Every structure is written in structure tokens, then in C-alpha cells.
Amino acid sequence: MPELPEVEALTDLLTEHLVGLRVARVLPAAVSVLKTYDPPVTAFEGVRVTGVRRHGKFLDLAADSGLHLVIHLARAGWLQWRDRLPDGRPKPGKGPLALRVALETGEGFDLTEAGTQKRLAVYVVRDPAQVPGIARLGPDPLAADFDEARLAALLKDERRRLKGALRDQSLIAGVGNAYSDEILHAARMSPFKLAASLTPEETHHLYEALRGTLTDAVERSRGVAAGRLKSEKKSGLRVHGRTGEPCPVCGDTIREVSFSDSSLQYCPTCQTGGKPLADRRLSRLLK
Ligand SMILES: [Zn+2]
């Protein structure tokens, strides 16, 4: 799933390729992809793109008509830039294609989504804040004013555990399952540590890990072609998705905790005092 660093890289890529150009067609190929109908998606045809911005994990294409095309790639969605789009309309319901945006120049991009759960979402709105997911977003962790005091204030009364809190878009925008694992590994903290229990020193470590992990990932992703972003993201991860591999810091075996629809990875030596966390799925099976 693309998170803040990948969406930031896509924002750069689209800024470079789209700004100043005119959109010829917006062609939905999957039924469920469009989440708004007024204004209709065709209202984005014929407009000139004036800017591309990121809000959390959302991409926002602004047009000279005042309209915005907002994209949320969700869990299995991706964006592919095409120097030359095929002629004709895409066939609805065939393959992973969800929506195609064609420019007058013949270039454009495809939004694709793998798997059977279709969550990729596209909105045409007059104001990005009309997208409920954007209206709910918490502060951006890479914003200039996101300092240590801001993080401390967010966590002060937070009753959830760190893993869940960091992933909540309304608390902090842009961090998902992968980077929350990476941030907690860099901060040497258990994913199950209670957010409100952090001492000022721990808050400092978490802040450094949050900014450092995301800044490094943004730097790595910048300038990487859209098609290679997914593998670039994967290669930069130290614990996420690496169950059974050695921790690059201490050599201990990376472990995993599974939930019904996701899993987290961590290093026991670096994060939980050497103690493996109970895997709820496994312990339920063993009962
Ligand atoms: Zn380790």
C-alpha cells in the first residue's frame, strides 16, 4: 500500500508530467471507483491541471476550473504513468484497471487495483475538504510546524497502543501499516506500548524515529519511476514484511503478530526486551 513517502513521490511525478497540460478524458473502468457524481467526472475533461498536492495518502489534482480530482489508492491500488496510452475506451470490469486519465498529448496515467477487494477511490470535488477522508486527517508529520511538542500533545490522552495510534489517519496523516512498523523499530518501542504512557524522553525518540524514517523514505522514493516505487519501498523496509529474516540492527529474528486483516512485524531484542509478543491468531488456534 502506498503511504506518505510513495504518495509524495507520485505527487512529484504528476507535478512534473501534468501541470500546465489539458485533460482530454477521464475514463472509469471499475464500477465502484467513483465516489462522487456531482460534479460529474466528465467535468474534469477539458480542464488544465494547475497543481498536484498530497494530503496524507490522498493525491489532489487541481484544475483551472476550480475543480479537484482526488485519488486514494487504498490498499492494493497503484498509479502507472504511460507515455503513450492505448486508443479507445478501456473495457469495464476487465483486469486491474480502475480509472484512466488521458491528456491531450496522448500521455496519461492508469489507476490500477489488484485483488478482489476494491477500495481505490476517486472523487471530483470543488474543495478537497469535501472528501471525508481528507476532512478527517490529522496533521502531516513532515509539515514544518509538526514539532516534538505537537506529537506530545497528540499522544498525551491517547488511550490506544502505539501501533494503532500511529496508523490512525485522523491522529497523524500518511502513516500506514508498513511505516508504523518501521518507525516503532527505529524508536525501539513495542507496538503494544500505550501511547499515553510515553515519558518526555521516549516521546523525543519516537519523534526522531517518525521524522527520520519518513524523511529517509521520501528521499529514497524521490525521482524513482512510478513503476519501481513499490519495489523501492519494499527494499527500504527493515522489519515490515520481513518475518523470519534477521534484524539489520541486532541480528535477532524478526517476528510477526497477525490480526484478521493485517499483520505487524517487530524485532524482540530491539523492541520488546527480547520477549516475543503473543500472536493472537496463533494462540487462538492453540487453545
Ligand atoms: Zn533488532
Side-chain angles (χ1 to χ4, degrees):
M1 178 205 225
E3 299 180 26
L4 184 155
E6 294 77 42
V7 179
E8 181 80 12
L10 290 172
T11 304
D12 286 353
L13 177 129
L14 292 181
T15 300
E16 189 187 319
H17 283 89
L18 291 180
V19 172
L21 298 182
R22 207 173 276 285
V23 174
R25 306 299 301 274
V26 183
L27 302 163
V31 244
S32 58
V33 68
L34 275 173
K35 303 301 174 196
T36 51
Y37 57 90
D38 178 28
V41 70
T42 48
F44 211 76
E45 298 180 338
V47 302
R48 197 178 289 280
V49 178
T50 53
V52 183
R53 276 187 67 191
R54 177 182 64 77
H55 309 268
K57 299 187 231 174
F58 290 83
L59 276 165
D60 167 13
L61 279 53
D64 55 358
S65 64
L67 288 180
H68 295 254
L69 183 86
V70 174
I71 300 164
H72 188 247
L73 291 168
R75 205 160 179 174
W78 210 259
L79 184 150
Q80 276 182 297
W81 179 259
R82 314 271 302 256
D83 287 331
R84 175 83 213 151
L85 284 170
D87 296 328
R89 292 185 82 90
K91 288 198 186 72
K94 290 268 192 290
L97 183 65
L99 182 121
R100 171 169 292 162
V101 174
L103 300 178
E104 276 184 346
T105 55
E107 309 158 284
F109 62 88
D110 283 344
L111 300 178
T112 59
E113 188 171 31
T116 50
Q117 282 192 332
K118 299 302 180 192
R119 293 193 184 150
L120 194 152
V122 174
Y123 310 78
V124 177
V125 288
R126 293 178 182 89
D127 178 349
Q130 290 172 325
V131 175
I134 291 182
R136 275 198 303 270
L137 285 178
D140 193 281
L142 292 187
D145 63 352
F146 191 92
D147 56 13
E148 217 173 297
R150 189 86 192 267
L151 179 65
L154 289 173
L155 299 179
K156 187 167 59 75
D157 301 314
E158 178 53 63
R159 293 159 156 266
R160 284 173 296 181
R161 298 171 192 276
L162 284 175
K163 174 70 183 178
L166 287 176
R167 278 183 73 178
D168 178 358
Q169 300 305 296
S170 61
L171 191 77
I172 295 172
V175 177
N177 198 26
Y179 287 104
S180 54
D181 279 355
E182 296 301 306
I183 290 162
L184 290 168
H185 179 253
R188 305 178 68 87
M189 284 175 198
S190 167
F192 291 163
K193 191 174 176 63
L194 290 170
S197 75
L198 263 57
T199 64
E201 201 191 340
E202 287 171 327
T203 305
H204 172 73
H205 288 314
L206 184 62
Y207 178 78
E208 295 287 311
L210 173 69
R211 292 276 283 211
T213 302
L214 294 175
T215 305
D216 287 354
V218 167
E219 288 307 317
R220 268 201 319 276
S221 312
R222 200 155 263 165
V224 171
R228 283 192 15 248
L229 272 173
K230 222 186 285 189
S231 55
E232 178 59 35
K233 173 185 177 187
K234 204 160 183 285
S235 70
L237 300 174
R238 302 170 108 187
V239 286
H240 184 77
R242 299 202 179 277
T243 308
E245 294 180 31
C247 167
V249 173
C250 72
D252 192 2
T253 304
I254 292 162
R255 290 180 180 258
E256 141 175 320
V257 179
S258 298
F259 305 94
S260 57
D261 65 343
S262 69
S263 62
L264 67 82
Q265 282 83 32
Y266 68 101
C267 167
T269 296
C270 290
Q271 295 175 256
T272 57
K275 274 187 283 193
L277 297 167
D279 185 320
R280 289 163 195 184
R281 187 185 59 173
L282 269 183
S283 44
R284 205 168 52 234
L285 289 172
L286 291 172
K287 256 182 215 159

